[in-house]
């Protein structure tokens, strides 16, 4: 059973009619309808040994724990308002706590997102450090972006660049295959990377300090027909847009924005990192072609590049095309799934 089959089978119910849950399971955020405004709510869990290594730098970890939640708010086009922090700690390590809270609260302050509560407990003996954050954002009524809504003929867009976080994991070369770290469970390619000298630190920032695209999410309200944040890999997350929207997609591989560092790698590694790497926290979204200029303007407003990387098709499925329009075989590329 995959992670998403599990959720669908045991934890997916239709929102009660007339209740405040306007949108439930299936989007990056749930939506609570308060009448004069909508609240977008999301929760994400980070587990030591699963999402991060035991020696992860605590300030970066604090940043990332909140960033992945703000990224889900961004995907819903919601303005961050507050968050809740639940922690299970093996011990009260003051140096660790000082750095962790510093990293987390600096990002919170940058987005005007208040820490409004939480829970703190000690893990069972030998238990993994676990961080759970629930974040709350706000949109005008009806304005939240969602995964459903992509229509045939829409352009497919992505923000900034994808693939560097996955490249960092491989470059670090510290993750044993059996560790089962998210995205690191595939074979480590560190020793085979081209131009590895000094690259690690540059790409490492993409992995450790993702920048949630909050301003872009806000600018895309009323423009994007669907939106998701790329957390598990571009093709997998595109699959969620396809499934929720009942459409197919074509991705133009040459157009997929990648760093010069990633472009210097072998093609197969570029494909794996950019299309199935995960941990990018970029926004993947669709919009009708007549909104191209407006989408570009939204990117400019938000200070982040947006690139057209393909189109939505009526025919289901997903094809990745090379420069000649031939289909690239991507069957070996799988997105991260905790239970697959
Ligand atoms: P994201 O990657 O944006 O955090 P996921 O793809 O992990 O979201 O989750 C897909 C959907 O399933 C989301 O709407 C999420 O809220 C929901 N979901 C995940 N786990 C559970 C659960 N245990 N119970 C109810 N809903 C869940
Ligand atoms: Mg998400």
């Amino acid at each position: 059973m995959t992670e998403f089959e599990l959720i669908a089978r045991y934890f997916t119910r239709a929102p009660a009619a007339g209740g405040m849950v306007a949108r439930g399971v299936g989007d990056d955020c749930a939506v609570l309808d308060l009448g004069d405004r909508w609240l977008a709510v999301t929760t994400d869990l980070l587990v030591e040994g699963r999402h991060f290594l035991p020696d992860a730098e605590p300030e970066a970890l604090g940043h990332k724990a909140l960033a992945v939640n703000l990224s889900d708010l961004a995907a819903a086009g919601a303005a961050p308002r507050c968050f809740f922090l639940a922690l299970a700690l093996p011990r009260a390590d003051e140096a660790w706590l000082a750095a962790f809270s510093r990293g987390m609260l600096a990002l919170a302050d940058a987005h005007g997102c208040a820490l409004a509560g939480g829970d703190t407990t000690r893990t069972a003996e030998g238990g993994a450090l676990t961080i759970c954050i629930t974040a709350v954002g706000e949109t005008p009524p009806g304005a939240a972006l969602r995964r459903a809504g992509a229509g045939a003929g829409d352009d497919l867009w992505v923000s900034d660049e994808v693939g560097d976080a996955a490249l960092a994991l491989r470059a670090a070369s510290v993750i044993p295959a059996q560790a089962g770290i998210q995205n690191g469970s595939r074979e480590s390619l560190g020793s085979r990377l081209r131009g590895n000298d000094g690259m690690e630190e540059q790409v490492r920032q993409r992995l450790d300090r993702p920048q949630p695209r909050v301003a872009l999410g806000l600018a895309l309200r009323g423009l994007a027909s669907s939106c998701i944040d790329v957390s598990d890999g571009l093709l997998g997350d595109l699959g969620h847009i396809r499934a929720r929207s009942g459409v197919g997609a074509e991705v133009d591989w040459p157009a997929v924005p990648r760093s010069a560092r990633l472009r210097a790698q072998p093609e197969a590694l570029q494909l794996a990192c950019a299309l199935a790497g995960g941990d990018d926290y970029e926004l993947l979204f669709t919009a009708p072609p007549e909104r191209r200029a407006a989408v570009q303007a939204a990117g400019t407003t938000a200070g982040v590049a947006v690139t057209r990387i393909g189109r939505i098709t009526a025919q289901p499925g997903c094809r990745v095309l090379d420069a000649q329009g031939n289909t690239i075989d991507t069957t070996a590329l799988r997105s991260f799934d905790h239970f697959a």
Side-chain angles (χ1 to χ4, degrees), residues 249-334:
E250 286 174 353
V251 175
D252 299 322
W253 168 240
V256 174
R258 287 156 273 162
S259 68
R261 297 179 291 275
L262 183 54
R263 285 181 190 276
Q265 307 306 322
E267 181 90 353
L269 180 57
Q270 291 187 49
L271 283 163
C273 288
L275 298 184
D279 260 336
D280 299 297
Y281 300 103
E282 295 300 338
L283 295 185
L284 179 70
F285 57 97
T286 60
E290 56 271 23
R291 293 187 190 154
R292 274 177 199 172
V295 169
Q296 288 290 0
T300 304
T301 302
V304 58
V306 289
T307 306
R308 214 151 33 84
I309 61 165
R311 65 208 64 79
I312 297 298
T313 60
Q315 190 190 344
C318 181
R319 295 199 308 144
V320 179
L321 306 174
D322 67 14
Q324 285 71 46
N326 298 317
T327 303
I328 299 174
D329 183 4
T330 55
T331 43
L333 302 181
R334 282 194 302 110

Side-chain angles (χ1 to χ4, degrees), residues 118-205:
D119 195 22
T120 306
T121 178
R122 192 167 183 166
T123 58
E125 204 54 49
L129 170 64
T130 301
I131 306 158
C132 179
I133 289 181
T134 301
V136 181
E138 184 180 336
T139 75
L145 302 175
R146 57 189 315 182
R147 295 174 180 180
D154 281 0
D155 294 323
L156 180 65
W157 297 80
V158 73
S159 61
D160 200 59
E161 293 172 340
V162 287
D164 268 9
L167 186 63
L169 262 179
R170 287 158 165 89
S173 194
V174 293
I175 298 149
Q178 66 273 21
I181 297 285
Q182 182 159 3
N183 304 323
S185 51
R186 300 181 200 98
E187 82 276 35
S188 172
L189 296 168
S191 57
R192 287 200 271 137
L193 291 179
R194 291 179 192 155
N196 200 3
D197 297 345
M199 181 184 69
E200 185 178 331
E201 190 45 44
Q202 290 174 295
V203 294
R204 188 98 205 174
Q205 288 294 316

